Amino acid sequence: MADEAKAKGNAAFSAGRFEEAAQHFSDAIALAPGNHVLYSNRSAALASLHRYSDALADAEKTVELKPDWAKGYSRLGAAHLGLGDAASAVAAYEKGLALDPSNEGLKAGLADAKKATAAPPRRSPSGADAIGQMFQGPELWSKIASDPATRAYLEQPDFMQMLREVQRNPSSLNMYLSDPRMMQVLSLMLNIKIQRPEDSELPEASSPSSPPQRQQEQPKPKAREVEPEPEPMEVNDEEKERKERKAAAQKEKEAGNASYKKKDFETAIQHYTKAMELDDEDISYLTNRAAVYIEMGKYDECIKDCDKAVERGRELRADFKMVARALTRKGTALAKLAKTSKDYDLAIETFQKALTEHRNPDTLKRLNEAEKAKKDLEQQEYYDPKLADEEREKGNEFFKQQKYPEAIKHYNEALRRNPNDVKVYSNRAACYTKLGAMPEGLKDAEKCIELDPTFSKGYSRKGAIQFFMKEHDKAMETYQAGLKHDPNNQELLDGIKRCIEQINKANRGEISQEDLQEKQSKAMQDPEIQNILTDPIMRQVLIDFQENPRAAQDHLKNPGVAQKIQKLISAGIVQMR
């Protein structure tokens, strides 16, 4: 709020509205009473209003707050000079030059102050000087601004320059009376209408084709007396210094980036730290240093930098992408520090916060990785084969009692304790089969085979479920696969025998129409059957089976075609009579 009031004051000062500028600076001082620049600016505004005593008080406060700032002594000298104390003005300007010997404003002020010490006492103004003195009062600006005919002049730089010159040297008014704008303002200040022959012809500003010949028409002005000059307020001093510091900070950042790429992390840290000292309004220096700390394994330091970046970013209303970057790097550091599954909770929460700021693919990837790591760690922490065996035995007892849902609960707990126990998957598959949950049972049986391809019970479980689902051809393939690992397994051999019986019945048409339709319906959902039926060659083969039996026999000599025909027969799509 103080910066906003200061900016309004600067704008009013630039427009020549010194009273308004002084008020804005007063508002800013009330909000930031320790800011020396605000007192300096108000001193300049008050000096422009010829309120030199007030200007002196502000100048003295400026020097008190910032004794090593040369500009403060410039304000002090201008105020002393305005009060007629040329000797004190000389002393003030000399102190300022001792701090900044090359300051042109201080040099010019000192020269004026020295002239004033040697100048004779001034007489009361008369004539043109008396009229010129009318331009010294604070009501000048308000009158010009309130009159529609003169208001626009305040936005014309050349006119503003003329007014300031008349304020500094009232006797110079004669030089500018050929300008119709100055005559208009003089008429306003005298509160009379001054008629000029050319009034109806001249526009607000002199025509470029006929500029006023001021030097030829007016007599050479008298050497002006030394007047106290409230030096113009350099509102860009702070801004200039700020830009210089920002530029220097950017150079440090670039040097830090170069060191980071070279894996020279210590040097990179030094450059980013220097950049932060030069410019605390760019949180990228903090996030970059945080990235270096991650590479160095200093995760706690990274987290501190990220927290500072988020806090400062909120204060500055920084780009949400920058805040998201800080949160992502904090989440990465937290994930690196995680030792237990619960440790990942804070990292996951931080990644989620980052995504609410900006949905970045890298952040989303890191969130998924953290969630997976948490889940894996939870399984490791819960892993206990001994407890898993106890839960499996409890499940077996309930299975014997035909309490299948209760058995499944214990098998589930056993698998949480030991997710790689094939016996538990096999037992749970049997429970699902008893409950008629064939898809779940099939999934468990397949998991048995995945974990241990030599586990015969897994093949027998899978084959039995496929048989119950009336997928006899698939069941037979499963049993045959199991026999490769255990050729003498009676359960697998019996399964094959049952499958052959059912397939032969289907081939002879000895199954009910209802079973046939159910079998065909399931077969038509099988992608392999769909591919066979949409194959142009196989479609021609099927046509030949119906219309040209001799050609059909030739097709069966092809092993690939014969295998596909057998598939269709087993599925009930094709029947042999």
Side-chain angles (χ1 to χ4, degrees), residues 197-211:
E198 63 273 29
D199 277 352
S200 60
E201 300 174 7
L202 286 176
E204 291 186 2
S206 300
S207 170
S209 61
S210 57

Side-chain angles (χ1 to χ4, degrees), residues 384-402:
D384 190 329
K386 184 177 179 181
L387 289 177
D389 290 342
E390 292 176 4
E391 290 295 331
R392 187 186 71 227
E393 290 301 323
K394 290 178 183 178
N396 292 346
E397 288 299 320
F398 279 110
F399 185 89
K400 292 174 183 177
Q401 298 172 25
Q402 298 183 0

Side-chain angles (χ1 to χ4, degrees), residues 225-398:
E225 298 177 16
V226 177
E227 293 285 336
E229 294 187 18
E231 73 179 50
M233 180 174 58
E234 297 180 14
V235 296
N236 291 326
D237 278 357
E238 262 192 312
E239 185 63 24
K240 182 180 178 182
E241 181 182 355
R242 180 171 170 268
K243 287 181 178 179
E244 289 175 352
R245 292 174 70 86
K246 279 187 173 292
Q250 282 296 319
K251 288 183 179 179
E252 292 291 341
K253 177 182 176 181
E254 291 168 6
N257 293 346
S259 298
Y260 178 84
K261 290 176 182 178
K262 295 175 183 177
K263 305 293 183 183
D264 185 359
F265 299 132
E266 291 292 347
T267 303
I269 291 289
Q270 293 173 10
H271 285 300
Y272 292 138
T273 303
K274 181 63 176 176
M276 289 159 50
E277 293 170 355
L278 290 167
D279 179 14
D280 67 345
E281 295 182 352
D282 188 339
I283 64 172
S284 69
Y285 311 136
L286 276 166
T287 56
N288 282 15
R289 191 171 72 173
V292 180
Y293 281 136
I294 289 177
E295 294 293 333
M296 298 173 73
K298 296 182 177 181
Y299 304 122
D300 290 328
E301 296 299 322
C302 169
I303 292 168
K304 289 178 184 177
D305 271 2
C306 291
D307 285 339
K308 288 179 186 176
V310 172
E311 181 182 359
R312 187 64 176 141
R314 303 282 191 217
E315 293 173 357
L316 298 170
R317 297 183 182 178
D319 186 348
F320 54 85
K321 293 181 181 177
M322 294 298 298
V323 175
R325 181 181 299 171
L327 289 168
T328 298
R329 287 182 179 164
K330 178 182 178 181
T332 302
L334 288 168
K336 295 282 187 182
L337 288 170
K339 292 187 171 104
T340 67
S341 59
K342 288 186 178 180
D343 290 341
Y344 277 99
D345 290 341
L346 187 54
I348 290 169
E349 181 185 348
T350 304
F351 286 132
Q352 290 170 340
K353 285 181 180 178
L355 289 171
T356 61
E357 296 287 338
H358 175 56
R359 195 162 185 82
N360 181 281
D362 178 63
T363 305
L364 186 59
K365 178 185 175 185
R366 292 176 186 272
L367 172 61
N368 292 335
E369 289 173 349
E371 289 175 337
K372 183 179 183 302
K374 174 181 171 65
K375 185 177 179 181
D376 292 344
L377 205 52
E378 282 176 339
Q379 290 181 346
Q380 293 176 23
E381 291 167 350
Y382 207 66
Y383 180 79
D384 190 329
K386 184 177 179 181
L387 289 177
D389 290 342
E390 292 176 4
E391 290 295 331
R392 187 186 71 227
E393 290 301 323
K394 290 178 183 178
N396 292 346
E397 288 299 320
F398 279 110

